[in-house]
Amino acid sequence: MREPHAYRRYVMVFVALAATVLLPVVALNYLLGLRSLGGADVVQQASRWQQATHGVTYAPPLSANRPFKSARLFDRLPEINAVVFGSSTMMGVTQAMFPDGIAIYNFSQTGNELPMALGEAEYLQEKHAAQLKLAVVPLDWALGFIYHAPAAPGQITVAPPEADAPAQRTKVSVADQLQDALSLPRVKNLFGIIGQIARAPAPAGAFRAMFLQDAGEDYRCADGLPARDFDTIFRGSCTGFRYDGSATFANLDPVAPRRVDALIASAVVPSSKYAVDLIKSDGLPNPLLLERLAQLAGKLRQAGGRLLLILPPLLPGMERAFLDAPQTAVQLARTKQQLAQWARETNVQIIDAGQSERYGCTAPEFVDEHHALPACYARIFERFWKAGGNSTKLAAGLYAPD
């Protein structure tokens, strides 16, 4: 029978070996975690870099991009006369899709629902009425945004990050950060990074850039644009936002045509995130949202500007499936009828892009059911402008190609 001190020695050796392995992992992942939280300083660094280079970048975290987008909007404000609002469904809209004389900034942000986007548009119209000549606002029925109750007017303030930097700093306890550092996804990511460093031509420089510098080195995207990564995730992939505010979607894969039927089948069931709000609202857009949109359109018109609304494109065949399904057909048809009637009464044009296949969009021009890539949006806007969207030739109401 072994003496107790032998077991203690065994435990001590095991603990020492575990610490030898785990401490570097915790330390390195802790450094990466701190970098991924972002903050006002890195937002300003990323914004200044993009303003100087017109390249591709973002400030971490990628999923909370309001501070970075706000900084970029106010940097770009002197040179633009149009703003694209909304959620990530609008991030595929680029400057190249607009006629001469319209200079845009795509201010769309992850999870930015219509009530919030409408408040932002109201605020900018009030503060920059002489400059804002075009406001592009999405009406997402598939995400339920047009059915949600809006906040009271005047509650949304759009400001550069310096004005509210404390509110933008993510507060995470040290214990939570250490727990995150030991999580399986973080550990896997760390070993992937170590592998990249080991294969780099200059491993010491690669280590310094990843763990010690505020940002990586400048590099070139496939289209020739400069890029710089201010986060440790998606390094070297050109993931982020372009100078016009549009997203590259470089971290996501296009939808494979073989997956389309399965994606649509799961989307159209009554319990899906795409059907719940449609069914619950009985297809009736929130009247308060429509009232405020009408007021915004009137104010823009009085100042020599214009409101352009769009039903964002969905995966080809998806909206058609909703219009054919017995549990959603009546509700979605009612939504379209209500919007068309409202648009005619308020003299507002709405691009109805829900059936993206009518514009020639294909499955690989989406990354999921409701996020269209620039190639699809380019088809949509090209058809719209050619149909007279930039003049009085096109009647108010829902526009969609025949």
Side-chain angles (χ1 to χ4, degrees):
M1 183 175 179
R2 293 187 180 182
E3 296 294 327
H5 68 271
Y7 290 103
R8 286 197 296 270
R9 186 166 57 249
Y10 172 80
V11 171
M12 292 178 64
V13 170
F14 177 80
V15 170
L17 289 174
T20 301
V21 174
L22 290 178
L23 281 178
V25 171
V26 171
L28 293 175
N29 268 341
Y30 184 79
L31 286 175
L32 294 177
L34 288 177
R35 300 271 299 284
S36 296
L37 291 177
D41 291 342
V42 71
V43 166
Q44 289 304 312
Q45 292 175 39
S47 182
R48 285 194 295 267
W49 179 89
Q50 188 170 73
Q51 186 67 11
T53 64
H54 294 200
V56 174
T57 191
Y58 73 94
L62 181 61
S63 59
N65 36 65
R66 182 179 177 83
F68 176 73
K69 282 295 192 84
S70 296
R72 296 303 305 129
L73 174 65
F74 280 85
D75 279 341
R76 295 292 316 278
L77 209 52
E79 59 195 57
I80 63 171
N81 58 12
V83 177
V84 176
F85 297 91
S87 71
S88 56
T89 60
M90 294 295 288
M91 287 183 179
V93 178
T94 71
Q95 172 65 65
M97 300 168 193
F98 292 82
D100 293 341
I102 300 179
I104 75 155
Y105 182 71
N106 189 328
F107 190 54
S108 60
Q109 304 144 52
T110 303
N112 206 41
E113 297 193 12
L114 176 57
M116 175 69 78
L118 176 54
E120 294 166 348
E122 290 169 337
Y123 182 87
L124 286 177
Q125 193 283 323
E126 178 184 347
K127 300 299 182 181
H128 303 277
Q131 188 173 353
L132 186 60
K133 299 305 179 185
L134 176 65
V136 182
V137 178
L139 303 176
D140 293 88
W141 72 258
L143 298 178
F145 295 167
I146 62 173
Y147 311 116
H148 294 176
Q155 290 187 342
I156 309 298
T157 299
V158 181
E162 299 96 330
D164 58 349
Q168 295 169 10
R169 294 192 181 97
T170 305
K171 295 182 179 179
V172 182
S173 69
V174 173
D176 287 340
Q177 292 180 56
L178 291 175
Q179 183 178 356
D180 176 68
L182 283 171
S183 67
L184 183 58
R186 283 288 186 190
V187 173
K188 286 183 176 179
N189 182 62
L190 176 63
F191 281 106
I193 289 172
I194 291 174
Q196 294 174 19
I197 292 173
R199 293 189 298 270
F207 180 90
R208 184 171 59 254
M210 184 63 72
F211 291 99
L212 303 177
Q213 294 180 184
D214 290 334
E217 301 297 329
D218 289 14
Y219 62 97
R220 291 280 172 180
C221 300
D223 59 4
L225 286 175
R228 193 175 194 190
D229 301 315
F230 285 81
D231 198 354
T232 58
I233 301 174
F234 310 127
R235 277 282 170 99
S237 65
C238 284
T239 295
F241 301 104
R242 301 181 185 89
Y243 185 68
D244 62 9
S246 62
T248 65
F249 293 101
N251 59 312
L252 300 173
D253 295 323
V255 172
R258 58 181 171 77
R259 295 183 58 224
V260 171
D261 290 344
L263 290 173
I264 293 176
S266 62
V268 80
V269 299
S271 59
S272 80
K273 63 182 178 181
Y274 301 108
V276 168
D277 287 309
L278 174 64
I279 296 172
K280 183 179 179 180
S281 66
D282 203 24
L284 293 171
N286 189 293
L288 294 177
L289 283 174
L290 296 182
E291 180 181 345
R292 283 174 54 185
L293 283 166
Q295 293 173 357
L296 175 62
K299 291 179 180 179
L300 284 164
R301 200 175 293 123
Q302 290 174 6
R306 173 190 182 191
L307 175 65
L308 177 61
L309 302 175
I310 181 170
L311 297 171
L314 299 173
L315 189 67
M318 177 170 161
E319 183 175 285
R320 187 67 260 170
F322 273 83
L323 288 169
D324 291 338
Q327 65 269 24
T328 56
V330 173
Q331 292 88 340
L332 183 51
R334 183 176 292 122
T335 296
K336 297 294 186 78
Q337 293 164 1
Q338 292 279 318
L339 291 176
Q341 180 180 344
W342 172 87
R344 289 191 296 268
E345 292 173 351
T346 56
N347 195 30
V348 173
Q349 290 177 344
I350 303 176
I351 303 175
D352 184 359
Q355 294 182 51
S356 62
E357 64 271 21
R358 298 173 71 177
Y359 296 86
C361 295
T362 62
E365 293 172 351
F366 287 77
V367 295
D368 58 22
E369 299 93 327
H370 62 279
H371 285 101
L373 294 169
C376 177
Y377 268 111
R379 299 175 189 274
I380 292 164
F381 278 102
E382 181 181 18
R383 293 285 290 270
F384 178 70
W385 300 127
K386 283 185 176 179
N390 203 32
S391 70
T392 57
K393 296 178 183 178
L394 200 63
L398 264 64
Y399 163 77
D402 297 331

